[in-house]
């Protein structure tokens, strides 16, 4: 059954699971968020650390989690700190399915087979213990309601939830507008979570090719004849790419 301690990718995925339909909200941006959540989890475990807008491995010692250790090894093989946007924007084929299968093995969800249009096979996932999802949601609600700075894990989870566009899923409608705004504001309470969340949004906005300017650089006038590009809108996900119908699984 489920473990007492869950990783951030698992918690983000459980937040995104719709308890009624068994599908995941924001499936395309969620894939980016899961890659970012791995970085935050590795940082919380003391394996990596931010280096400006880059990620540096500070300890290659395995965590004991196979999926996280795979990511850690890939980062180690880079040999030098890697920009967060390049890591998050890289190919992560099957990452969401890997975590869904893991949650199923842990007994947190169960798979329900079905068909789309009576032809294409689909798999939906229903939470087997809704108390786990309620506990995760309660942590976010408490941080939003009380205004008390949350612990780094909850702050990072809030930052990632905002970055992948889960705000409207968690706090829908006009009545949820203030909660969505406060969810966005929680991004400032964890430096690593903030770095990763901004990287997720930059990838969605197509800004991965441009290095992030430091605060000092942002206030520095451009040189003669230099062109300045408009700053990409924060928190406004770009239109996701159309995926092949064969990737309907756990949409």
């Amino acid at each position: 059954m489920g473990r007492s301690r869950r990783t951030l990718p698992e918690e983000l995925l459980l937040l995104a699971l719709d308890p009624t339909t068994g599908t995941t909200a924001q499936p395309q941006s969620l894939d980016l968020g899961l890659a970012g959540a791995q970085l935050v989890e590795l940082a919380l475990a003391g394996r990596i650390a931010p280096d400006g807008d880059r990620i540096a491995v500070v300890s290659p010692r395995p965590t004991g989690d196979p999926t996280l250790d795979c990511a850690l090894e890939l980062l180690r093989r880079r040999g030098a700190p890697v920009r967060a946007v390049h890591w998050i924007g890289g190919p992560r084929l099957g990452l969401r399915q890997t975590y869904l299968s893991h949650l199923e093995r842990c007994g947190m969800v169960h798979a329900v087979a079905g068909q789309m249009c009576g032809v294409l096979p689909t798999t939906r996932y229903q939470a087997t213990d809704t108390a786990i999802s309620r506990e995760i949601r309660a942590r976010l609600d408490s941080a939003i309601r009380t205004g008390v700075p949350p612990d780094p894990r909850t702050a990072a989870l809030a930052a990632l939830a905002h970055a992948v566009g889960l705000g409207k899923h968690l706090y829908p409608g006009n009545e949820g507008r203030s909660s969505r705004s406060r969810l966005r504001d929680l991004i400032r309470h964890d430096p690593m979570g903030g770095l990763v969340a901004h990287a997720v949004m930059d990838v969605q906005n197509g800004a991965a090719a441009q290095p992030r300017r430091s605060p000092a650089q942002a206030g520095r006038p451009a040189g003669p004849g230099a062109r300045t590009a408009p700053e990409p809108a924060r928190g406004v996900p770009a239109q996701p790419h159309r995926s092949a119908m064969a990737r309907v699984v756990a949409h």
Side-chain angles (χ1 to χ4, degrees), residues 3 18 22 29 32 38 44 50 60-61 71 93 115 132 143 159 164 168 204 225 231:
R3 300 161 301 168
D18 188 305
S29 56
L32 302 176
Q38 286 186 314
L44 290 172
R61 183 168 55 89
L93 296 178
Q115 289 184 331
I132 295 175
V164 303
K168 290 185 177 180
Q204 293 180 83
E231 177 71 14

PDB file of all heavy atoms in Angstrom, residues 3 18 22 29 32 38 44 50 60-61 71 93 115 132 143 159 164 168 204 225 231:
ATOM      1  N   ARG A   3       3.088   4.523   0.675  1.00  0.00           N
ATOM      2  CA  ARG A   3       4.113   4.793   1.658  1.00  0.00           C
ATOM      3  C   ARG A   3       3.733   6.019   2.464  1.00  0.00           C
ATOM      4  O   ARG A   3       2.921   6.824   2.074  1.00  0.00           O
ATOM      5  CB  ARG A   3       5.447   5.038   0.943  1.00  0.00           C
ATOM      6  CG  ARG A   3       5.922   3.859   0.119  1.00  0.00           C
ATOM      7  CD  ARG A   3       6.951   4.326  -0.883  1.00  0.00           C
ATOM      8  NE  ARG A   3       6.368   5.351  -1.756  1.00  0.00           N
ATOM      9  CZ  ARG A   3       7.095   6.108  -2.573  1.00  0.00           C
ATOM     10  NH1 ARG A   3       8.402   5.981  -2.595  1.00  0.00           N
ATOM     11  NH2 ARG A   3       6.514   6.985  -3.355  1.00  0.00           N
ATOM     12  N   ASP A  18      -8.301  13.770 -11.792  1.00  0.00           N
ATOM     13  CA  ASP A  18      -9.700  14.111 -11.566  1.00  0.00           C
ATOM     14  C   ASP A  18     -10.394  12.908 -10.932  1.00  0.00           C
ATOM     15  O   ASP A  18     -10.426  11.819 -11.529  1.00  0.00           O
ATOM     16  CB  ASP A  18     -10.374  14.461 -12.895  1.00  0.00           C
ATOM     17  CG  ASP A  18     -11.776  15.023 -12.702  1.00  0.00           C
ATOM     18  OD1 ASP A  18     -12.595  14.353 -12.060  1.00  0.00           O
ATOM     19  OD2 ASP A  18     -12.052  16.120 -13.214  1.00  0.00           O
ATOM     20  N   GLY A  22     -11.064  10.209 -13.767  1.00  0.00           N
ATOM     21  CA  GLY A  22      -9.877   9.374 -13.768  1.00  0.00           C
ATOM     22  C   GLY A  22      -8.818   9.831 -14.749  1.00  0.00           C
ATOM     23  O   GLY A  22      -7.850   9.103 -15.016  1.00  0.00           O
ATOM     24  N   SER A  29       1.307  20.094 -20.051  1.00  0.00           N
ATOM     25  CA  SER A  29       2.149  20.852 -19.142  1.00  0.00           C
ATOM     26  C   SER A  29       2.486  20.039 -17.896  1.00  0.00           C
ATOM     27  O   SER A  29       3.523  20.259 -17.261  1.00  0.00           O
ATOM     28  CB  SER A  29       1.473  22.171 -18.748  1.00  0.00           C
ATOM     29  OG  SER A  29       0.191  21.946 -18.194  1.00  0.00           O
ATOM     30  N   LEU A  32       5.858  18.420 -18.097  1.00  0.00           N
ATOM     31  CA  LEU A  32       6.944  19.335 -17.747  1.00  0.00           C
ATOM     32  C   LEU A  32       7.034  19.498 -16.223  1.00  0.00           C
ATOM     33  O   LEU A  32       8.122  19.534 -15.655  1.00  0.00           O
ATOM     34  CB  LEU A  32       6.721  20.702 -18.394  1.00  0.00           C
ATOM     35  CG  LEU A  32       6.593  20.750 -19.914  1.00  0.00           C
ATOM     36  CD1 LEU A  32       6.270  22.171 -20.372  1.00  0.00           C
ATOM     37  CD2 LEU A  32       7.872  20.252 -20.579  1.00  0.00           C
ATOM     38  N   GLN A  38      10.832  16.472 -10.087  1.00  0.00           N
ATOM     39  CA  GLN A  38      11.979  15.614  -9.804  1.00  0.00           C
ATOM     40  C   GLN A  38      13.177  16.444  -9.356  1.00  0.00           C
ATOM     41  O   GLN A  38      13.891  16.066  -8.416  1.00  0.00           O
ATOM     42  CB  GLN A  38      12.349  14.803 -11.043  1.00  0.00           C
ATOM     43  CG  GLN A  38      11.400  13.675 -11.366  1.00  0.00           C
ATOM     44  CD  GLN A  38      11.916  12.836 -12.526  1.00  0.00           C
ATOM     45  OE1 GLN A  38      12.349  13.372 -13.550  1.00  0.00           O
ATOM     46  NE2 GLN A  38      11.872  11.534 -12.379  1.00  0.00           N
ATOM     47  N   LEU A  44      15.684  18.779  -2.391  1.00  0.00           N
ATOM     48  CA  LEU A  44      15.299  18.555  -0.997  1.00  0.00           C
ATOM     49  C   LEU A  44      16.092  17.413  -0.380  1.00  0.00           C
ATOM     50  O   LEU A  44      16.339  17.403   0.828  1.00  0.00           O
ATOM     51  CB  LEU A  44      13.799  18.250  -0.911  1.00  0.00           C
ATOM     52  CG  LEU A  44      12.859  19.422  -1.209  1.00  0.00           C
ATOM     53  CD1 LEU A  44      11.414  18.937  -1.294  1.00  0.00           C
ATOM     54  CD2 LEU A  44      12.980  20.506  -0.137  1.00  0.00           C
ATOM     55  N   PRO A  50      20.631  24.771  -6.885  1.00  0.00           N
ATOM     56  CA  PRO A  50      20.599  25.778  -7.943  1.00  0.00           C
ATOM     57  C   PRO A  50      21.931  26.507  -8.048  1.00  0.00           C
ATOM     58  O   PRO A  50      22.595  26.759  -7.039  1.00  0.00           O
ATOM     59  CB  PRO A  50      19.466  26.723  -7.505  1.00  0.00           C
ATOM     60  CG  PRO A  50      19.372  26.543  -6.023  1.00  0.00           C
ATOM     61  CD  PRO A  50      19.759  25.134  -5.749  1.00  0.00           C
ATOM     62  N   PRO A  60      26.247  12.732  -5.898  1.00  0.00           N
ATOM     63  CA  PRO A  60      25.688  11.725  -6.807  1.00  0.00           C
ATOM     64  C   PRO A  60      25.161  10.486  -6.098  1.00  0.00           C
ATOM     65  O   PRO A  60      24.758   9.524  -6.749  1.00  0.00           O
ATOM     66  CB  PRO A  60      26.886  11.376  -7.700  1.00  0.00           C
ATOM     67  CG  PRO A  60      28.065  11.562  -6.788  1.00  0.00           C
ATOM     68  CD  PRO A  60      27.717  12.700  -5.868  1.00  0.00           C
ATOM     69  N   ARG A  61      25.166  10.494  -4.778  1.00  0.00           N
ATOM     70  CA  ARG A  61      24.720   9.315  -4.026  1.00  0.00           C
ATOM     71  C   ARG A  61      23.251   9.014  -4.319  1.00  0.00           C
ATOM     72  O   ARG A  61      22.414   9.906  -4.228  1.00  0.00           O
ATOM     73  CB  ARG A  61      24.930   9.546  -2.532  1.00  0.00           C
ATOM     74  CG  ARG A  61      24.571   8.369  -1.635  1.00  0.00           C
ATOM     75  CD  ARG A  61      25.084   8.598  -0.220  1.00  0.00           C
ATOM     76  NE  ARG A  61      24.602   9.864   0.309  1.00  0.00           N
ATOM     77  CZ  ARG A  61      23.452  10.012   0.965  1.00  0.00           C
ATOM     78  NH1 ARG A  61      22.649   8.966   1.144  1.00  0.00           N
ATOM     79  NH2 ARG A  61      23.098  11.194   1.438  1.00  0.00           N
ATOM     80  N   ALA A  71      17.117  10.195 -13.046  1.00  0.00           N
ATOM     81  CA  ALA A  71      17.270  11.616 -13.362  1.00  0.00           C
ATOM     82  C   ALA A  71      18.589  12.151 -12.814  1.00  0.00           C
ATOM     83  O   ALA A  71      19.291  12.925 -13.483  1.00  0.00           O
ATOM     84  CB  ALA A  71      16.100  12.406 -12.792  1.00  0.00           C
ATOM     85  N   LEU A  93       9.716  11.183 -22.420  1.00  0.00           N
ATOM     86  CA  LEU A  93       8.691  10.254 -22.884  1.00  0.00           C
ATOM     87  C   LEU A  93       8.349   9.238 -21.800  1.00  0.00           C
ATOM     88  O   LEU A  93       9.232   8.611 -21.225  1.00  0.00           O
ATOM     89  CB  LEU A  93       9.183   9.533 -24.145  1.00  0.00           C
ATOM     90  CG  LEU A  93       9.428  10.419 -25.374  1.00  0.00           C
ATOM     91  CD1 LEU A  93       9.955   9.582 -26.534  1.00  0.00           C
ATOM     92  CD2 LEU A  93       8.154  11.140 -25.769  1.00  0.00           C
ATOM     93  N   GLN A 115     -12.325   2.470 -23.733  1.00  0.00           N
ATOM     94  CA  GLN A 115     -12.116   2.772 -25.149  1.00  0.00           C
ATOM     95  C   GLN A 115     -12.590   4.192 -25.431  1.00  0.00           C
ATOM     96  O   GLN A 115     -13.543   4.681 -24.811  1.00  0.00           O
ATOM     97  CB  GLN A 115     -12.858   1.795 -26.053  1.00  0.00           C
ATOM     98  CG  GLN A 115     -12.278   0.388 -26.072  1.00  0.00           C
ATOM     99  CD  GLN A 115     -13.011  -0.501 -27.066  1.00  0.00           C
ATOM    100  OE1 GLN A 115     -14.193  -0.300 -27.333  1.00  0.00           O
ATOM    101  NE2 GLN A 115     -12.313  -1.482 -27.610  1.00  0.00           N
ATOM    102  N   ILE A 132      -5.541  10.427   0.910  1.00  0.00           N
ATOM    103  CA  ILE A 132      -4.203  10.901   0.555  1.00  0.00           C
ATOM    104  C   ILE A 132      -4.303  12.182  -0.260  1.00  0.00           C
ATOM    105  O   ILE A 132      -3.622  13.177   0.019  1.00  0.00           O
ATOM    106  CB  ILE A 132      -3.435   9.825  -0.227  1.00  0.00           C
ATOM    107  CG1 ILE A 132      -3.190   8.601   0.656  1.00  0.00           C
ATOM    108  CG2 ILE A 132      -2.117  10.373  -0.754  1.00  0.00           C
ATOM    109  CD1 ILE A 132      -2.536   7.441  -0.062  1.00  0.00           C
ATOM    110  N   ALA A 143      -2.075  26.734   3.375  1.00  0.00           N
ATOM    111  CA  ALA A 143      -1.102  27.774   3.032  1.00  0.00           C
ATOM    112  C   ALA A 143      -1.788  28.976   2.387  1.00  0.00           C
ATOM    113  O   ALA A 143      -1.423  30.126   2.637  1.00  0.00           O
ATOM    114  CB  ALA A 143      -0.045  27.199   2.096  1.00  0.00           C
ATOM    115  N   ALA A 159       4.000  26.046  -6.187  1.00  0.00           N
ATOM    116  CA  ALA A 159       4.635  26.688  -7.337  1.00  0.00           C
ATOM    117  C   ALA A 159       4.466  25.845  -8.594  1.00  0.00           C
ATOM    118  O   ALA A 159       4.156  26.362  -9.677  1.00  0.00           O
ATOM    119  CB  ALA A 159       6.118  26.926  -7.046  1.00  0.00           C
ATOM    120  N   VAL A 164       1.968  24.575 -13.960  1.00  0.00           N
ATOM    121  CA  VAL A 164       1.377  23.679 -14.966  1.00  0.00           C
ATOM    122  C   VAL A 164      -0.090  23.996 -15.232  1.00  0.00           C
ATOM    123  O   VAL A 164      -0.733  23.328 -16.041  1.00  0.00           O
ATOM    124  CB  VAL A 164       1.537  22.198 -14.565  1.00  0.00           C
ATOM    125  CG1 VAL A 164       2.994  21.848 -14.359  1.00  0.00           C
ATOM    126  CG2 VAL A 164       0.736  21.867 -13.312  1.00  0.00           C
ATOM    127  N   LYS A 168      -6.931  26.439 -12.022  1.00  0.00           N
ATOM    128  CA  LYS A 168      -8.353  26.407 -12.393  1.00  0.00           C
ATOM    129  C   LYS A 168      -8.968  25.037 -12.139  1.00  0.00           C
ATOM    130  O   LYS A 168     -10.185  24.921 -12.029  1.00  0.00           O
ATOM    131  CB  LYS A 168      -8.509  26.797 -13.851  1.00  0.00           C
ATOM    132  CG  LYS A 168      -8.216  28.269 -14.114  1.00  0.00           C
ATOM    133  CD  LYS A 168      -8.500  28.652 -15.555  1.00  0.00           C
ATOM    134  CE  LYS A 168      -8.259  30.142 -15.774  1.00  0.00           C
ATOM    135  NZ  LYS A 168      -8.519  30.561 -17.174  1.00  0.00           N
ATOM    136  N   GLN A 204       6.910  26.398 -21.653  1.00  0.00           N
ATOM    137  CA  GLN A 204       5.589  26.486 -22.264  1.00  0.00           C
ATOM    138  C   GLN A 204       5.452  27.727 -23.140  1.00  0.00           C
ATOM    139  O   GLN A 204       4.763  27.710 -24.162  1.00  0.00           O
ATOM    140  CB  GLN A 204       4.511  26.503 -21.181  1.00  0.00           C
ATOM    141  CG  GLN A 204       4.401  25.200 -20.406  1.00  0.00           C
ATOM    142  CD  GLN A 204       3.332  25.275 -19.349  1.00  0.00           C
ATOM    143  OE1 GLN A 204       2.155  25.080 -19.630  1.00  0.00           O
ATOM    144  NE2 GLN A 204       3.730  25.566 -18.124  1.00  0.00           N
ATOM    145  N   GLY A 225      22.323  49.871 -30.111  1.00  0.00           N
ATOM    146  CA  GLY A 225      21.849  49.026 -31.210  1.00  0.00           C
ATOM    147  C   GLY A 225      21.323  47.686 -30.780  1.00  0.00           C
ATOM    148  O   GLY A 225      20.936  46.868 -31.610  1.00  0.00           O
ATOM    149  N   GLU A 231       9.305  40.415 -22.579  1.00  0.00           N
ATOM    150  CA  GLU A 231       9.306  39.400 -21.526  1.00  0.00           C
ATOM    151  C   GLU A 231       8.091  38.507 -21.698  1.00  0.00           C
ATOM    152  O   GLU A 231       6.975  38.980 -21.847  1.00  0.00           O
ATOM    153  CB  GLU A 231       9.238  40.088 -20.150  1.00  0.00           C
ATOM    154  CG  GLU A 231       9.167  39.134 -18.977  1.00  0.00           C
ATOM    155  CD  GLU A 231      10.470  38.398 -18.731  1.00  0.00           C
ATOM    156  OE1 GLU A 231      11.490  38.821 -19.303  1.00  0.00           O
ATOM    157  OE2 GLU A 231      10.463  37.430 -17.964  1.00  0.00           O
TER     158      GLU A 231
END
